[in-house]
Amino acid sequence: MASNSIHSNLLPKSPFNHFQTSSYLVGSFPAGILQVRVGFSNSRRVPSYSCIKCEKKDEYNIEHVSVERPPYYSYMDSTSGQLEPASGARASVPEQEYWPEGTASQVRAARAPAPGGESSSSPSYGSKPGSRRKNYRVAAASSSTIDVGSSDPAPSDEASLEESIEDTQDSSSEFVVYQSEPEEEETGYDLDKKLGNPHPFIDPRVKKKIEGTLPDEELWWNWKKPEKEQWSRWQRRKPDADTVFLKAMAETGQVKLYGEHPTLTETSLYRARRHLYKEERLQAEEDRLEEVGPIAYYSEWVKAWRGDTSREAIQKHFEETGEDETAQLIEMFSHQTDREYRIMMGTDVRIKRDPLAMRMKEEQIKQIWGGDPVYPTVNYIQDPNEVIDYRGPDFHEPTPNMLSYLMEHGHIITRDELNSILAKEKPEQHEVTDVDEAMAKAVDIGENDDEEDSDVEDEEEDGEEEEEKISRNWSVLKSTPELRQSKAKAKKEGPMSLDEAIDDSENLTDFLMDFEEEQE
Amino acid sequence: MASSLLHQTTQCFFFNNQLKGLSHGFLWRPPCSSFGSSHAENRARPIRASVDTPPFPLFQPPKQQESASELEPADPDFYKIGYVRSMRAYGVEFKEGPDGFGVYASKDVEPLRRARVIMEIPLELMLTISKKLPWMFFPDIIPIGHPIFDIINSTNPETDWDLRLACLLLYAFDVEDNFWQLYGDFLPSADECTSLLLASEDELSELQDPDLASTMRNQQQRALEFWEKNWHNSAPLKIKRLARDPRRFMWAVGIAQSRCINMQTRIGALTQDANMLIPYADMLNHSFEPNCSLHWRFKDRMLEVLINAGEQIKRGDEMTINYMSGQKNEMLMQRYGFSSPVNPWDVIKFSGNAQIHLDSFLSVFNISGLPEEYYHNNFLANDGDTFVDGAVVAAARTLPTWSDKDVPPIPSAERMAVKELQEECRQMLGQYATTSKQDEKLLDSMPNAPRTLEAAIKYRLHRKLFIEKVIRALEIYQDKILF
């Protein structure tokens, strides 16, 4: 809900504190007043109605509550032992040789000491040039009045800063320098350090074990096997935010679950309940605001306002002074301290909030919001030898044997079957005519191309049937190359239509079979 | 009629000084202890004529302790007003003596290979105007909208640079919150300024140099005409209050002339010749062997005052730059209002045919280098020799000399030539109304003379001293001709 997001940063110190279930907030501001509020915040800075009257100082004896874990802007660096910013530490400043052009002169100008000393004269702003020189004489007066040498002696304390520095430097050399005691010779670690030999960072005599170190098991860089034996990481329960929350709630005893882990039903049920509770609380706050009026409502956060905040008092004030409710509200807010303002807006980090989110276990927090980016969780470790398993929970059976699968579905047939099918599709068997074997085996040399066609035609017409038969049996043709040529030619002529044949032939007599033989 | 524009580019500096600076640690700078003691009869002025700006001769007194006691640190506000505006001075301090301001080192500096920055002045403090059109005023003290802009516009860029700068300076005094309103209090006032523009007729006549006097009269006339033309009675009040009387305007022109620095400034990609009035760098005095030079740093638009590379500087040394190189005293006087007896570029016009042998003259005084850069070679000379100074170098340049490769000089002819030249110098000295001794007495008797008068008298005094030095140098040359 949009209103939730607007209201989400307001935290009332309300009697609802005992509802510690969630961080949802009770205070609600109707949209209308919210706009006014924004206007107020501006006017608090540049008050047009009234000046800031709050004289009350914020209490000095604020109890320093333990703040929540600070935002992660810095951390203790393990290498240097110093506090270091998280987002990119600063590189060291280079030497002067590496400075960009002009930097050296800027630095020199900035380092130049400011001049000290007080002047005895004052500027004339252009009217009397030369008036601040030592030898200045009044222009109109005669030159003999003031002697050159007896000009006003400049007080000695007007010496420039550089001179005084020089003097102190000179005078310090007059002091006696006492010889200090002879130092003992260093040995071991100190000697190594002095000479520059390799040495441990910390003096081993002084070294203490760092407090608060985790045992090896819990160190983040310690490889730790996952607890349960699983053959797949996907068997781990996926942490849903609601689920984890509900589990945390159950652990703290706010809610009773049926089993160890909340089920989906329970999760949704409790989510709905939480939502409804929040709505209720928001509504209650809104009702209260409407009932009591804004001034009374907000006076909860303005301690310095002792006036009567009831509606009648406001009305009376309005009649008296003409300031309407808004103006009086502004007046009241000008008495609010900064601290109170922050508390009212819910942005005070010192207010200890206790949502469940902060009391959840580390693990649970990490499941929802992730762990520390710099010091990752133990669960973040990766077993280098692990074989990553990307299979999901609805992981199917391993890929079956393709062949048998296809066979089952009839997409593939075996070669034998194929052959058998083909064999069934053999063409009709014609009567085998007398094949002149010599004719059949005759190889056409191809001497006479023109006449040969007709000869070949004749030959082919004779053995056409036979060749048709042969042509269907293509495997035979494959092995007998001499038949291929004739087959080609036969195929060429076979499907010719009648008209084509008429066109093709030299004369109609071609069509008469055995013409030459008959004539013979 | 107008003063010539003399560029002061850094290249010129280093060219002049590099030979001197790198090969010789101390040039012409005698050990201070022996300086005053030797040549008791010769009250020779020091070799380094460090001169204050605005034009003030500051002589190095015979004993150094005196100079130290006469110098007082300047008003602390002087540096403060600059410091607040991001001007910096490193290792130097501003001191004021009876003759004006000067910049002195506050700590020792080893001779470095690189020039070291002692002052950096940002562009915002300067008054700049470019020489060519379009006028570019840096920084935003653009007087557009103010009637002074029209006046500046009406000037001739070639010749009227000093008038332009004077107008800009006067305008800057009037602009509120301008740095020059504060800095103007440290400029020499009209009484302290030695610029001859403010000199009266008598003072000009005290120069005993009619050419210079007439030049200065022309300059004064020009400035006066300009003032009358633009500050007439019906000029708007905005203009009028800038210079109520002509004397103020003349003073401004004098300041502009003597403190102007011409630099090639590069701003962004544009390089321009600009006349600049630069606040703290103009407190540097002049010297013929300077130890500092100016450099424009275009990256952040600052003018740097650099100690030349190889310069050994002790604490209390004065920082000096070369205002104009290669000009005789007349030009220095005309432009800056001071003169120096040891100007190595001074010129004496000799008539007659007498000539001395150049090579032997140079070898007698151990002057080496090319004619443009004669310098006293300390390594050849004994260190106790303190006679050779800029005047002798100038003598080497101005004396009529002959040099013909290997032809040796004939001693008798040389002696004759020397005698002739000496005679001519004496004649020149005789032409002056007073002698140098009389001039010195006059100066000592007038401690409170107006500055311009002092400057004029010193000018002629220096001239005479120079000629006397030439005579003595010829004398020594005569003695030391080797055969």
Side-chain angles (χ1 to χ4, degrees):
Chain A
M1 268 183 33
S3 58
N4 285 352
S5 57
I6 293 170
H7 302 147
S8 59
N9 54 355
L10 307 164
L11 177 69
K13 315 176 307 182
S14 56
F16 302 105
N17 267 343
H18 61 273
F19 280 119
Q20 286 168 344
T21 47
S22 72
S23 60
Y24 294 108
L25 302 164
V26 177
S28 75
F29 294 86
I33 296 197
L34 183 62
Q35 287 154 15
V36 175
R37 180 78 199 138
V38 169
F40 289 159
S41 58
N42 288 339
S43 67
R44 280 183 84 237
R45 300 211 171 47
V46 184
S48 52
Y49 299 88
S50 55
C51 52
I52 306 235
K53 287 182 195 153
C54 180
E55 294 292 333
K56 182 179 125 164
K57 306 276 184 196
D58 289 332
E59 301 104 18
Y60 291 113
N61 53 347
I62 282 289
E63 52 164 15
H64 286 288
V65 291
S66 64
V67 284
E68 54 197 32
R69 187 167 48 171
Y72 198 83
Y73 301 133
S74 57
Y75 61 97
M76 281 293 189
D77 191 19
S78 54
T79 40
S80 67
Q82 314 262 336
L83 200 66
E84 213 178 77
S87 59
R90 185 192 181 149
S92 59
V93 180
E95 299 285 311
Q96 179 151 357
E97 299 90 39
Y98 297 97
W99 289 354
E101 199 60 48
T103 309
S105 57
Q106 274 184 340
V107 168
R108 187 185 56 203
R111 279 191 189 153
E118 281 297 315
S119 164
S120 53
S121 48
S122 62
S124 69
Y125 298 106
S127 56
K128 283 182 285 195
S131 55
R132 295 176 91 176
R133 285 172 84 107
K134 298 283 194 306
N135 303 326
Y136 179 65
R137 311 163 199 180
V138 180
S142 60
S143 55
S144 59
T145 47
I146 305 170
D147 200 10
V148 174
S150 67
S151 52
D152 296 331
S156 56
D157 56 349
E158 282 181 19
S160 62
L161 208 59
E162 286 141 344
E163 275 191 341
S164 57
I165 287 175
E166 302 266 340
D167 288 333
T168 52
Q169 280 174 358
D170 288 339
S171 58
S172 67
S173 63
E174 299 173 77
F175 292 141
V176 181
V177 175
Y178 291 102
Q179 229 183 16
S180 53
E181 295 161 7
E183 299 174 20
E184 346 117 358
E185 300 229 325
E186 292 154 289
T187 48
Y189 175 77
D190 292 322
L191 186 68
D192 276 341
K193 198 164 180 185
K194 193 171 83 163
L195 294 179
N197 291 340
H199 60 275
F201 277 121
I202 301 172
D203 194 355
R205 292 170 292 184
V206 191
K207 185 171 183 169
K208 285 188 304 203
K209 196 172 172 321
I210 306 170
E211 290 174 51
T213 47
L214 297 169
D216 275 321
E217 279 297 306
E218 295 185 51
L219 286 175
W220 69 271
W221 54 85
N222 192 25
W223 297 118
K224 195 172 109 167
K225 293 266 176 249
E227 317 87 16
K228 285 185 281 188
E229 284 285 335
Q230 295 158 12
W231 65 270
S232 166
R233 283 176 73 215
W234 295 99
Q235 287 183 325
R236 220 166 27 109
R237 185 179 306 277
K238 228 171 20 174
D240 184 45
D242 286 320
T243 318
V244 173
F245 246 102
L246 195 53
K247 178 108 177 22
M249 280 163 62
E251 275 170 27
T252 56
Q254 298 166 17
V255 143
K256 199 155 163 55
L257 291 181
Y258 187 64
E260 199 188 85
H261 292 285
T263 57
L264 286 172
T265 325
E266 278 178 324
T267 313
S268 51
L269 177 68
Y270 280 107
R271 201 188 318 144
R273 272 177 69 180
R274 206 169 50 218
H275 181 73
L276 287 173
Y277 280 151
K278 180 186 147 189
E279 296 263 295
E280 267 183 36
R281 288 195 293 270
L282 292 178
Q283 191 59 43
E285 282 293 314
E286 273 186 41
D287 292 342
R288 188 173 156 248
L289 172 62
E290 279 194 30
E291 175 199 321
V292 173
I295 295 187
Y297 185 74
Y298 292 116
S299 62
E300 181 186 340
W301 290 287
V302 185
K303 278 208 207 76
W305 185 258
R306 313 273 156 141
D308 193 3
T309 56
S310 64
R311 285 195 189 272
E312 299 80 25
I314 292 165
Q315 186 64 26
K316 206 159 66 143
H317 191 79
F318 172 61
E319 280 153 21
E320 283 170 17
T321 53
E323 287 179 349
D324 63 341
E325 195 177 49
T326 315
Q328 291 178 45
L329 192 57
I330 293 169
E331 171 81 18
M332 182 180 80
F333 274 126
S334 62
H335 292 269
Q336 191 182 39
T337 71
D338 197 32
R339 194 153 292 178
E340 286 166 350
Y341 175 72
R342 279 202 304 267
I343 291 170
M344 183 173 78
M345 299 304 287
T347 51
D348 195 354
V349 293
R350 285 161 289 190
I351 300 288
K352 192 166 180 176
R353 286 155 238 265
D354 187 20
L356 180 66
M358 294 174 53
R359 298 203 288 130
M360 286 188 353
K361 291 206 291 254
E362 199 79 10
E363 262 185 357
Q364 288 166 332
I365 295 178
K366 277 174 192 160
Q367 279 178 346
I368 304 181
W369 290 292
D372 199 323
V374 175
Y375 301 133
T377 60
V378 177
N379 285 337
Y380 185 67
I381 57 167
Q382 288 167 11
D383 185 353
N385 303 322
E386 170 189 292
V387 174
I388 297 181
D389 196 348
Y390 296 111
R391 301 174 291 190
D394 48 325
F395 171 61
H396 59 272
E397 286 295 317
T399 312
N401 192 1
M402 280 299 301
L403 215 54
S404 46
Y405 173 83
L406 289 173
M407 284 237 321
E408 273 167 42
H409 289 268
H411 299 305
I412 284 184
I413 53 173
T414 56
R415 193 177 285 263
D416 307 324
E417 280 182 43
L418 175 68
N419 289 340
S420 57
I421 290 169
L422 285 179
K424 282 183 213 144
E425 292 175 9
K426 270 187 194 174
E428 60 280 7
Q429 297 282 343
H430 298 279
E431 289 190 1
V432 181
T433 52
D434 296 332
V435 178
D436 192 358
E437 289 195 359
M439 281 294 271
K441 287 187 194 157
V443 178
D444 187 29
I445 303 172
E447 287 173 342
N448 302 323
D449 282 336
D450 292 337
E451 292 177 340
E452 213 189 49
D453 282 342
S454 51
D455 288 340
V456 166
E457 278 175 7
D458 291 340
E459 283 179 4
E460 282 182 354
E461 283 155 14
D462 284 356
E464 206 174 339
E465 290 178 310
E466 184 218 334
E467 284 164 4
E468 280 180 24
K469 170 173 161 275
I470 294 174
S471 68
R472 283 190 209 104
N473 201 357
W474 59 270
S475 54
V476 177
L477 263 182
K478 257 207 310 197
S479 45
T480 48
E482 56 264 34
L483 290 178
R484 218 189 276 163
Q485 262 179 353
S486 49
K487 174 220 173 229
K489 287 186 185 136
K491 275 223 169 145
K492 205 168 47 181
E493 292 192 288
M496 243 195 254
S497 66
L498 186 59
D499 291 337
E500 284 171 6
I502 294 170
D503 290 335
D504 204 10
S505 62
E506 287 175 5
N507 45 39
L508 281 174
T509 54
D510 283 345
F511 290 102
L512 295 174
M513 296 179 58
D514 302 332
F515 181 62
E516 288 173 8
E517 288 176 25
E518 283 178 3
Q519 282 188 344
E520 252 183 64
Chain B
M1 69 156 190
S3 56
S4 61
L5 300 171
L6 298 154
H7 283 272
Q8 204 183 47
T9 53
T10 52
Q11 292 147 355
C12 198
F13 285 135
F14 282 105
F15 184 60
N16 264 338
N17 300 333
Q18 233 164 17
L19 287 175
K20 302 174 189 175
L22 289 178
S23 45
H24 315 287
F26 303 85
L27 288 187
W28 296 347
R29 194 188 306 210
C32 297
S33 53
S34 67
F35 182 80
S37 52
S38 65
H39 311 288
E41 81 284 3
N42 160 35
R43 287 187 56 197
R45 299 299 169 175
I47 292 158
R48 263 184 46 218
S50 37
V51 179
D52 282 354
T53 44
F56 263 128
L58 173 69
F59 292 122
Q60 228 178 20
K63 284 170 205 137
Q64 209 191 21
Q65 295 89 16
E66 251 180 66
S67 71
S69 64
E70 273 172 9
L71 292 173
E72 290 166 344
D75 199 304
D77 256 6
F78 180 64
Y79 181 42
K80 243 190 230 175
I81 53 178
Y83 186 88
V84 192
R85 292 166 174 83
S86 68
M87 167 257 166
R88 294 286 183 269
Y90 306 109
V92 290
E93 53 200 9
F94 299 95
K95 288 208 179 112
E96 213 179 330
D99 293 324
F101 268 75
V103 182
Y104 297 88
S106 61
K107 51 183 187 177
D108 294 349
V109 173
E110 304 245 322
L112 298 166
R113 286 182 145 224
R114 263 180 53 193
R116 178 180 276 206
V117 175
I118 50 169
M119 278 202 288
E120 49 187 24
I121 300 130
L123 179 60
E124 288 78 29
L125 301 186
M126 306 181 205
L127 291 173
T128 35
I129 180 167
S130 62
K131 281 200 194 153
K132 291 190 206 154
L133 283 170
W135 303 126
M136 289 179 75
F137 307 91
F138 301 114
D140 291 317
I141 178 173
I142 301 176
I144 290 180
H146 196 276
I148 196 90
F149 183 72
D150 304 316
I151 296 178
I152 292 180
N153 237 348
S154 67
T155 56
N156 183 352
E158 307 287 329
T159 51
D160 295 341
W161 59 272
D162 47 350
L163 299 174
R164 290 210 309 270
L165 266 181
C167 291
L168 205 56
L169 180 67
L170 291 170
Y171 171 69
F173 283 150
D174 208 27
V175 172
E176 202 172 301
D177 279 345
N178 195 308
F179 174 72
W180 285 85
Q181 277 193 339
L182 303 171
Y183 188 75
D185 295 331
F186 297 99
L187 294 176
S189 58
D191 301 313
E192 235 180 314
C193 192
T194 59
S195 172
L196 285 180
L197 284 178
L198 299 168
S200 59
E201 267 307 310
D202 328 325
E203 285 154 4
L204 285 184
S205 62
E206 293 279 348
L207 279 173
Q208 293 181 0
D209 183 353
D211 295 328
L212 182 58
S214 66
T215 314
M216 288 319 302
R217 264 183 228 114
N218 287 340
Q219 294 258 332
Q220 287 178 355
Q221 190 62 27
R222 165 175 165 259
L224 196 58
E225 273 171 14
F226 187 81
W227 183 83
E228 276 166 8
K229 181 170 132 211
N230 293 306
W231 268 265
H232 50 265
N233 270 339
S234 57
L237 180 63
K238 278 188 186 175
I239 297 281
K240 263 199 201 159
R241 70 160 185 249
L242 296 184
R244 295 239 177 235
D245 43 56
R247 188 166 159 82
R248 181 162 161 104
F249 184 71
M250 305 283 267
W251 168 82
V253 177
I255 292 283
Q257 274 186 355
S258 58
R259 302 181 90 109
C260 166
I261 296 177
N262 298 320
M263 293 206 74
Q264 290 262 337
T265 50
R266 177 184 160 198
I267 302 215
L270 181 63
T271 318
Q272 276 211 331
D273 237 342
N275 301 314
M276 311 161 85
L277 285 176
I278 306 178
Y280 294 86
D282 54 10
M283 290 301 184
L284 294 161
N285 291 321
H286 167 82
S287 160
F288 290 107
E289 323 102 53
N291 45 20
C292 298
S293 50
L294 302 176
H295 175 248
W296 172 257
R297 186 166 70 203
F298 73 93
K299 196 189 337 272
D300 46 0
R301 299 177 190 177
M302 295 250 209
L303 185 92
E304 296 173 329
V305 179
L306 306 170
I307 297 182
N308 291 337
E311 290 278 345
Q312 170 103 31
I313 293 184
K314 296 284 176 223
R315 184 181 166 182
D317 278 357
E318 178 157 20
M319 303 283 121
T320 53
I321 56 175
N322 196 346
Y323 289 177
M324 255 170 22
S325 54
Q327 299 298 329
K328 43 191 187 143
N329 261 350
E330 197 181 47
M331 295 304 300
L332 282 182
M333 194 66 197
Q334 175 194 324
R335 172 91 183 257
Y336 297 107
F338 72 91
S339 55
S340 160
V342 292
N343 188 348
W345 295 92
D346 223 340
V347 167
I348 306 177
K349 285 212 168 55
F350 289 97
S351 52
N353 299 333
Q355 284 183 334
I356 54 172
H357 191 221
L358 179 65
D359 304 318
S360 39
F361 187 83
L362 294 178
S363 69
V364 162
F365 293 106
N366 291 312
I367 298 173
S368 13
L370 295 174
E372 284 84 33
E373 336 143 348
Y374 282 139
Y375 62 94
H376 180 62
N377 195 333
N378 272 334
F379 295 144
L380 294 177
N382 306 327
D383 285 320
D385 182 10
T386 57
F387 177 76
V388 180
D389 57 8
V392 181
V393 170
R397 277 199 200 106
T398 65
L399 287 172
T401 54
W402 64 273
S403 174
D404 200 3
K405 289 185 213 171
D406 287 344
V407 176
I410 305 170
S412 54
E414 285 297 308
R415 288 213 190 88
M416 268 179 48
V418 163
K419 285 207 177 61
E420 271 187 43
L421 291 172
Q422 279 182 335
E423 193 48 46
E424 225 179 308
C425 289
R426 286 195 197 98
Q427 272 177 15
M428 275 192 272
L429 276 181
Q431 276 167 6
Y432 284 110
T434 57
T435 66
S436 61
K437 301 262 188 322
Q438 288 173 339
D439 286 336
E440 279 166 15
K441 278 210 197 89
L442 191 59
L443 273 178
D444 293 336
S445 69
M446 298 192 311
N448 295 333
R451 299 287 188 179
T452 42
L453 183 60
E454 255 186 72
I457 297 176
K458 279 182 186 161
Y459 172 74
R460 76 188 192 214
L461 173 63
H462 292 160
R463 184 88 185 144
K464 289 164 198 157
L465 286 175
F466 174 57
I467 299 177
E468 283 170 14
K469 185 103 184 187
V470 169
I471 294 172
R472 274 202 307 277
L474 287 172
E475 195 68 39
I476 292 176
Y477 170 65
Q478 224 181 9
D479 295 335
K480 284 195 183 168
I481 293 179
L482 298 171
F483 297 106

